[in-house]
Amino acid sequence: MRSERRQQDTSAELWSDLEVLQRMRRDDDVAIREFFRRFTPVLWKIARQAQVQPALRDDVVTDCLSDAALHLMQATVAPPANLTGYLIATFRHRLANDRRATDRRSATGTAAAWGEGGERVVREVCSEASIRASAGPAADTPPLSPVLERLSRVIDSGITDDERQMLRWVSAAIPQRLIADWLGITHNAARVRVLRLRERLIEIALRSDVARSPDERDELYEFFRRSGLSERARRALAERDGGVPPRPRLRRGREIPEEDQ
Amino acid sequence: MRYDDNALSAPERAALERAKDLLVRLAGERAMGRLDPSDAAEARFLEWYAREARATLSVAEQARLDAGADRFVRTIRSRRALERSRVREVASEPESAPAWEEGTLAQVVAAAARVRHAPAIELSVAAGVGRELWDEPCERWIPLPDDAPDGRYVALRVTGDSMVPLLHDGDTILVKLGEEIVPDAVVVARVPDGGYVVKRVGGVAGSRVELESLNPDYPPIVIARDPSLVLGTVLLRWCTHGDQPVH
């Protein structure tokens, strides 16, 4: 029976998103299972990016997926053209709503919430898991330091929409062959575009003036050095700050070897 | 600056490669945050992204995904069932009066039906083993709601959380006796050796009836399709748990 089911599940992987939905509407267990397996991993990833606590990710994702599944299984609901996008949008929306609800709840004050039935409303709107998720601090991805946060914002505002799209593809490690395919260009042209994008990021990053103290300047330089840009960064920083080279950095008594000369 | 192979020196290319990691990751995270998932131009990317996420799960994540899938199916089935099961809710304790006639359920059920009442039995369904419901004494009768069709009824108290979110521990249910079993109905059945349980009819196939709990933590039960094993169908619940969270 187990192996029979595994066979069913494997063939379900080949169904299109639309086919999965249509089968789910007929209460097909294999399709419901495939829906869960197909979309849970990507929502886990999004939850990680949104800094939901690891212990709560599974529950938050499952809650959202089951609500979405029940909604989409209604015969009167038109199936979304882009199911993955729809689910990611729904999930983000929900995380944002949970956060807002929690903020509002703590702002209103516990007494008022109980008095006006506010507590009940919040409880009905979000699951236990999502309340806890939005209340707790992120666990495994530490937030960026202020200077790197500023750097990432400067880079983001310095690139075009097309470059941003390409950046998403590159940071998701999409093979260049696929990029070429999607853009309808040759493999070599795609490679050149990726290189150009990287060079553009480097240019904006080195030109940016985001350090607000000598410590931040050192941190920034350290970031560039670890990116393999120490020579160019030294030159750029020294040029801008009137010839003062960044201080060499020691960490826990051990010297970090230079990556390039 | 030109970007063909000859224009870049080897160290330059290596530097670009290394820069990819930190700088692309730093900028890429923000770019991902600004992705508009409903943008049709991103559909191919998102599909690839979802497939890649699935293909690159760790062993532990894969195990969690497998375990979660079966539970997910049970959750969806039970919530679909909840939408379809038509068990009316009355958000109060039932009114009840002292029994007009004393006796066991078997003795009074017909008399109560004549005056549109349901004998109430304190014995909980899903509670423990082996007591025969028909031999229980009934000290109180509950008047039938006006919209309940004529017929023989019994009122029982629910124990346990196997039918959450439909029925909670302590709810009272009104059971119409001797109804035909239909899929999706909520019934009280007698499980050999297990006493009485309240469950949803998942499916009726040949000589077997599958009884499902709405709480996905409980596995389904299969009983023989034997009218004497099914007491009746739940029409209504008296529930005072509306103010509390379900969990």
Side-chain angles (χ1 to χ4, degrees), chain B residues 19 38 75 162 222:
Chain B
S38 54
T75 306
S162 73
V222 175

Side-chain angles (χ1 to χ4, degrees), chain A residues 49 58 149 152 156 168, chain B residues 30 34 42 49 64 66:
Chain A
Q49 286 163 10
D58 287 15
E149 174 72 33
S152 97
D156 186 68
R168 278 194 288 267
Chain B
R30 186 171 290 268
R34 290 192 52 180
E42 302 289 1
Y49 192 61
R64 253 160 58 214
D66 287 343

Side-chain angles (χ1 to χ4, degrees), chain B residues 13-227:
Chain B
R13 228 177 304 139
L16 282 173
E17 278 300 320
R18 260 174 295 162
K20 167 198 160 194
D21 278 333
L22 284 178
L23 207 52
V24 166
R25 216 183 306 153
L26 178 78
E29 236 162 68
R30 186 171 290 268
M32 279 307 269
R34 290 192 52 180
L35 169 85
D36 175 8
S38 54
D39 185 351
E42 302 289 1
R44 262 184 316 198
F45 165 61
L46 286 177
E47 204 181 302
W48 183 90
Y49 192 61
R51 219 167 330 127
E52 189 67 7
R54 183 179 185 177
T56 54
L57 289 178
S58 68
V59 176
E61 285 172 327
Q62 186 64 52
R64 253 160 58 214
L65 188 70
D66 287 343
D70 285 336
R71 205 186 134 81
F72 185 75
V73 170
R74 288 201 296 274
T75 306
I76 295 293
R77 287 179 66 103
S78 81
R79 286 183 57 182
R80 289 272 275 181
L82 185 64
E83 284 169 6
R84 281 191 299 242
S85 77
R86 294 272 164 262
V87 178
R88 194 159 73 82
E89 179 185 321
V90 177
S92 67
E93 284 289 331
E95 292 172 38
S96 71
W100 296 17
E101 283 179 33
E102 284 191 13
T104 61
L105 177 62
Q107 290 162 341
V108 301
V109 66
R114 277 195 294 278
V115 291
R116 289 187 55 85
H117 275 67
I121 292 178
E122 279 305 312
L123 173 70
S124 305
V125 276
V129 189
R131 285 167 74 182
E132 179 51 72
L133 206 58
W134 296 103
D135 295 338
E136 288 294 313
C138 318
E139 282 159 12
R140 303 194 73 78
W141 288 4
I142 294 175
L144 295 182
D146 293 340
D147 57 351
D150 284 342
R152 298 185 310 146
Y153 290 87
V154 57
L156 299 168
R157 207 174 267 283
V158 176
T159 302
D161 64 349
S162 73
M163 290 295 275
V164 163
L166 181 67
L167 304 174
H168 310 105
D169 194 61
D171 285 0
T172 304
I173 49 174
L174 181 67
V175 184
K176 188 163 194 298
L177 302 180
E179 285 280 283
E180 185 66 29
I181 311 175
V182 289
D184 292 332
V186 177
V187 299
V188 174
R190 193 186 163 140
V191 188
D193 304 332
Y196 288 89
V197 294
V198 53
K199 292 278 176 277
R200 185 183 87 86
V201 177
V204 184
S207 58
R208 292 152 29 110
V209 178
E210 194 172 76
L211 299 177
E212 292 175 349
S213 298
L214 291 183
N215 183 337
D217 290 337
Y218 292 79
I221 309 173
V222 175
I223 60 167
R225 188 179 181 180
D226 176 351

Side-chain angles (χ1 to χ4, degrees), chain A residues 22-198:
Chain A
Q22 279 163 349
R23 285 173 191 261
M24 283 169 73
R25 290 186 176 181
R26 300 196 294 269
D27 286 291
D28 178 348
D29 285 357
V30 179
I32 298 174
R33 207 176 301 127
E34 170 62 19
F35 177 84
F36 179 82
R37 286 167 189 260
R38 189 171 289 191
F39 298 112
T40 297
V42 66
L43 294 192
W44 277 349
K45 225 167 165 172
I46 304 281
R48 198 156 45 222
Q49 286 163 10
Q51 313 214 333
V52 177
Q53 285 186 58
L56 304 170
R57 262 180 227 148
D58 287 15
D59 285 351
V60 178
V61 167
T62 307
D63 279 355
C64 176
L65 267 186
S66 54
D67 285 350
L70 284 163
H71 175 70
L72 294 170
M73 282 164 84
Q74 291 167 33
T76 48
V77 174
N82 168 7
L83 187 53
T84 315
Y86 170 86
L87 291 171
I88 292 177
T90 310
F91 183 59
R92 278 196 187 156
H93 201 74
R94 193 175 169 118
L95 288 180
N97 269 346
D98 286 0
R99 282 210 171 111
R100 265 199 296 277
T102 316
D103 291 350
R104 209 166 31 232
R105 186 174 53 152
S106 38
T108 319
T110 320
W114 280 107
E116 299 298 317
E119 176 77 358
R120 192 180 158 197
V121 172
V122 172
R123 281 197 182 283
E124 278 169 4
V125 170
C126 17
S127 69
E128 287 284 311
S130 41
I131 289 176
R132 275 178 280 131
S134 48
D140 59 347
T141 14
L144 289 175
S145 70
V147 65
L148 291 183
E149 174 72 33
R150 251 174 271 139
L151 178 64
S152 97
R153 214 172 308 134
V154 165
I155 295 176
D156 186 68
S157 59
I159 54 179
T160 64
D161 285 346
D162 285 350
E163 283 170 332
R164 196 171 297 115
Q165 182 184 48
M166 175 73 91
L167 174 59
R168 278 194 288 267
W169 295 353
V170 173
S171 73
I174 294 199
Q176 289 182 0
R177 171 185 50 76
L178 255 184
I179 293 183
D181 201 33
W182 291 351
L183 294 176
I185 55 180
T186 65
H187 189 163
N188 200 47
R191 209 170 40 96
V192 168
R193 283 209 202 177
V194 172
L195 278 175
R196 200 177 294 155
L197 172 71
R198 286 190 190 143

